[in-house]
Every structure is written in structure tokens, then in C-alpha cells.
């Protein structure tokens, strides 16, 4: 399977997961709003997701995929399967112990994650209760990530990319069914999250078995390969999860800003995650196994081409998405969330955060393009050092901007820190001779940016002309749909005329 077919496969399923994820957020906005219960649930849900992003989907895949691919290429499927089984056994024991400790330490952990909750009576206790229900999700989703790494290394991306859809569908079903029987809607969401972890894990057990790589339960043993795996996970944790760590820093500070600030950031981030997930995660997931294989085979030139085309593909899709989100942030938030407990004030606050997050959207995706170049060379230490500097910058900017911009300052600091991360990673790769923009990318990048400027002008004019007529929910949906079509059309025409991206180019990349 070619790189771009792999990206399309992962991106298609990720699009489905992001759409169902937005549907889930719409249900949460309706039932929970943006007050105490919503803040408590979002913190509880972010807790296991932080460790999942750091140690499971992020650092674990960055360390596991190159090692598994190397085994698969050099020693065959059986040795690769045995390595995956040993890794699974040790991972299960380590995670089970970690979850047990965190369940006991949860009240103190929540104080560290959301210190501002203590000022609202009952909020800290509610977040602790939700977290204890949600946290075992980490165990199941981490084991799911290992199985996803196996499937991705085999070139089977569909089953693993579809697991987030199961999370969204299961948690929505839990919210819908359990609300009448639980003290709050937040309790229903927490139990739905717990159930979703079991469903996702069970689905990939079946998928791995179908791929002929069934992983049996074995006695945990720290073999040399497993020791090497976990040694590489530790430094890679921060490097792969810098975006999530920055969001957690935002959560800590937002909990002390105002009631609802955590929710504003969460809803805005969920919208921003739609293009980030569809493009960034798809590129990162497809690129790492390909680079690992090309470098293992000594084909450095092919690896360079793969990285340049992944960067071009990412820019074509994320730059216009970022610009569009900045121009029509308020209409998007109103249509998606403004109903039930979510009113116009919440829409305005969330839209402002979305504009700030969108500034960093291309950077979040470019990080996904650049970090596989380190991970494929089995270097997980360098991204850590860069991530450490990025996190320090994010905290400094948070503290500097929060007094004047409130929660919007926190979103903006995350965006600026992401661009810093991209620049430093690119410079380091270039100095080591691992990355250089080829002639095609140097020609295309400014043209893509110019096409985005044209689209922004057209989209802004259409918004000013049409949005005043969006009276009522049905008309608002219709006007937003027209704005989206206008934006897409404007970018497509401008990109074609400026030779930034043509349909024939994309088709050719997909064929290759």
C-alpha cells in the first residue's frame, strides 16, 4: 500500500471518528453544558487520555513500531509475534499496577491536575469520582494501542483507525441509556467511557487474530528486546505527547480562571481536533512504518521523498482548514453546540478559543510529519529535549497571557508553542542531514499559503453577507453548509490557478 493510500485509509476512518466525536460533544453540551459537571467530567476524561497519549499511542508506538518492523523484516512473522506477546504481557502487568495506584491516589492527583476546583464546593469530589470510573480505560486503550501497532506494521490500518469510532458510539449510548439512572449526566459519560475501553480492546483482539498474528497470554518476562522497548518509551513519552501535555497545563491554569473555562477549551479543542486527527494522526500513523522500512532497507532517498510528500499533503489539507476555522469559528460553534445548557455566551467564549487553537493547527500536523524521522531512526531522546523546551515556553506564555486574554491566552500559548516545536525539530533534522525541502515542496508551500489568503477573503465576505440571515437552528445549519462549500470552492480554484495543488497531482500521489 502506498503512503498516500495508507494516509487516505487512516484519514477516512479518523474522519468518521472525529465526526462521531463531535456528535458526542454535542450530546455532552446538551446534557452537561459548560458548568461544574462538564468541567469535572472533562478533567476526569483527560486524565487517562493524557497517559494514553504519552505512553500508549505516542511513545509506545514510536518505540514499538520500528522494533516490531525490524523483527518482521529480519526474522519473520513468528519472531515478531513472540516479541509482541512478550511486550503485551509486561505492558499489562505494569499498567494494572499503575491503574491500581492511581485509583488510590486519585483525590491528590485531581488536586494537582485541577487545583482551582477546590474553590467550588463539591467540584473536586465530583471530578475524583468521575476519574475513578474513567481511569481503567487507560489499561484497555493501551493494550489496544499495542495491537494497533502490530496491525499498522503489517500494513493493515483500517481496523485500528476505526477504534475511536467505537469509543464515541459506546460513550454516546452510555449517556443516552444511563442518564435516567445516574446521579448526574457526568456519571453516565464516565461509565460509558469505561465500557468503551473494553469494546475497543475486544475489537482489536478479533482483528489481530484475523490478520494471522494472534497474541496469546504469556507469563511476563523482561527479555532484552522488551527491556529495549520500555527503555525507549520513557524518553519518547514527552516528545510524542507534547500537545497533550500542553493541554493539561492549560487545564491546570484554566481551573483557576473561571467556572466553565475548562469546558470552553475542551469544546474548542474538539473542533480543532477534527482536521488534526484526520490529517495529522493519519500521516504520522502511515509514515512511521514506511520510514522504518525504507531506512531499514537503506533507501535514504525514498525516505526523504516520503517525508517531503507527507509534508506537502499535510499543508494542502491543514492550512486551508486552519484559515477557515479562524474565519467562521463562531458559526461553527453555534451550529455544533448552542442548544440545551449551552447558550450564546458559551458560544462566544468557545469560538474565541477555537480561533487561537486554529493558529497552531498546521504546526500540530507538521510535528506528526517530523517526529517519525527521529523515531524511525530509533532516536526517541531528541524529541524529548525539544518537547521539554516547548513545554517550558507554553507555561511561560500561559502565565503571561492569561491575565489579559483569560482562557483564550491559554489556547494561543499552545499554538505558539507548537510552532516553536516544529521549527526546532526541522532545524535539528536538517543539520543532521535527515531532512531538506525538495524543489517541489519549496515551490508548492508559498502557493498553498497564497491560495489560503484568497480563500480567507472570499469566505470572510460570504460570512458577512450570509450569516445575518441565520435566524434559527435550521437556517444556521444551512448557511454554515453554504459557507463551507464557498470556502472549499474558493481554495480549490485558487490552488488550481496558482499551481499549488491540482486534482491530478493528488490522484498521481494516491496511485504511487
Amino acid at each position: 500500500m502506498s503512503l498516500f493510500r495508507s494516509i487516505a485509509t487512516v484519514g477516512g476512518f479518523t474522519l468518521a471518528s472525529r465526526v462521531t466525536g463531535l456528535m458526542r460533544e454535542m450530546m455532552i453540551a446538551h446534557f452537561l453544558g459548560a458548568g461544574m459537571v462538564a468541567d469535572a467530567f472533562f478533567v476526569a476524561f483527560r486524565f487517562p487520555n493524557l497517559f494514553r497519549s504519552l505512553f500508549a499511542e505516542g511513545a509506545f508506538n514510536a518505540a514499538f513500531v520500528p522494533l516490531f518492523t525490524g523483527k518482521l523484516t529480519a526474522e519473520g512473522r513468528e519472531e515478531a509475534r513472540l516479541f509482541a506477546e512478550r511486550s503485551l504481557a509486561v505492558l499489562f502487568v505494569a499498567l494494572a499496577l499503575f491503574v491500581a495506584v492511581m485509583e488510590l491516589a486519585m483525590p491528590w492527583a485531581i488536586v494537582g491536575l485541577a487545583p482551582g476546583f477546590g474553590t467550588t464546593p463539591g467540584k473536586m469530589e465530583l471530578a475524583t469520582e468521575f476519574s475513578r470510573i474513567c481511569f481503567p480505560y487507560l489499561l484497555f486503550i493501551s493494550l489496544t494501542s499495542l495491537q494497533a501497532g502490530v496491525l499498522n506494521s503489517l500494513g493493515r490500518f483500517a481496523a485500528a483507525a476505526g477504534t475511536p469510532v467505537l469509543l464515541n458510539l459506546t460513550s454516546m449510548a452510555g449517556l443516552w441509556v444511563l442518564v435516567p439512572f445516574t446521579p448526574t449526566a457526568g456519571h453516565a459519560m464516565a461509565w460509558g467511557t469505561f465500557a468503551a475501553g473494553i469494546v475497543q480492546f475486544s475489537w482489536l483482539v478479533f482483528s489481530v487474530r484475523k490478520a494471522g498474528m494472534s497474541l496469546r497470554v504469556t507469563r511476563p518476562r523482561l527479555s532484552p528486546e522488551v527491556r529495549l522497548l520500555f527503555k525507549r518509551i520513557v524518553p519518547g513519552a514527552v516528545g510524542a505527547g507534547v500537545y497533550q501535555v500542553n493541554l493539561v497545563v492549560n487545564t491546570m491554569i484554566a481551573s483557576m480562571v473561571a467556572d466553565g473555562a475548562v469546558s470552553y477549551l475542551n469544546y474548542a479543542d474538539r473542533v480543532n481536533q477534527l482536521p488534526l486527527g484526520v490529517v495529522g494522526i493519519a500521516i504520522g500513523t502511515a509514515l512511521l512504518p514506511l520510514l522504518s522500512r525504507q531506512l531499514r532497507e537503506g533507501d535514504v532517498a525514498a525516505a526523504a521523498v516520503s517525508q517531503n510528500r507527507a509534508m506537502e499533503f499535510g499543508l494542502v489539507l491543514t492550512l486551508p482548514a486552519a484559515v477557515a476555522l479562524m474565519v467562521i469559528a463562531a458559526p461553527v460553534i453555534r451550529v455544533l453546540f448552542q442548544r440545551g445548557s449551552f447558550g450564546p455566551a458559551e458560544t462566544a467564549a468557545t469560538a474565541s478559543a477555537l480561533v487561537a487553537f486554529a493558529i497552531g493547527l498546521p504546526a500540530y500536523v507538521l510535528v506528526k510529519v517530523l517526529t517519525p524521522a527521529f523515531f524511525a531512526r530509533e532516536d526517541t531522546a531528541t524529541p524529548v529535549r525539544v518537547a521539554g523546551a516547548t513545554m517550558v515556553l507554553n507555561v511561560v506564555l500561559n502565565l503571561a497571557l492569561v491575565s489579559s486574554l483569560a482562557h483564550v491566552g491559554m489556547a494561543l500559548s499552545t499554538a505558539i508553542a507548537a510552532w516553536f516545536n516544529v521549527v526546532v525539530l526541522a532545524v535539528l533534522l536538517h543539520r543532521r542531514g535527515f531532512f531538506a525541502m525538495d524543489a517541489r515542496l519549496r515551490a508548492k508551500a508559498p502557493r498553498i499559503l497564497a491560495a489560503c489568503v484568497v480563500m480567507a477573503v472570499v469566505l470572510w465576505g460570504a460570512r458577512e453577507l450570509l450569516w445575518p440571515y441565520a435566524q434559527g437552528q435550521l437556517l444556521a445549519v444551512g448557511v454554515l453548509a453554504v459557507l463551507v462549500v464557498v470556502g472549499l470552492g474558493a481554495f480549490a480554484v485558487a490552488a488550481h490557478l496558482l499551481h499549488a495543488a491540482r486534482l491530478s497531482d493528488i490522484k498521481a500521489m494516491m496511485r504511487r
Side-chain angles (χ1 to χ4, degrees), residues 320 323-324 327-328 449-467 479 482-495 497-498:
V323 171
V327 175
I328 58 171
L449 183 59
C452 289
V453 172
V454 173
M455 181 200 71
V457 173
V458 173
L459 190 56
W460 179 83
R463 185 201 68 187
E464 293 298 299
L465 179 66
L466 299 176
W467 191 245
V479 172
V482 172
L483 291 176
V484 170
V485 172
V486 168
L488 285 172
F491 179 76
V493 171
L497 294 177
L498 294 169

Side-chain angles (χ1 to χ4, degrees), residues 336-357:
L336 290 177
F337 300 125
Q338 189 173 308
R339 61 184 59 83
S341 301
F342 199 99
E346 289 79 7
T347 293
T350 304
S352 299
L354 177 57
V355 172
F357 273 132

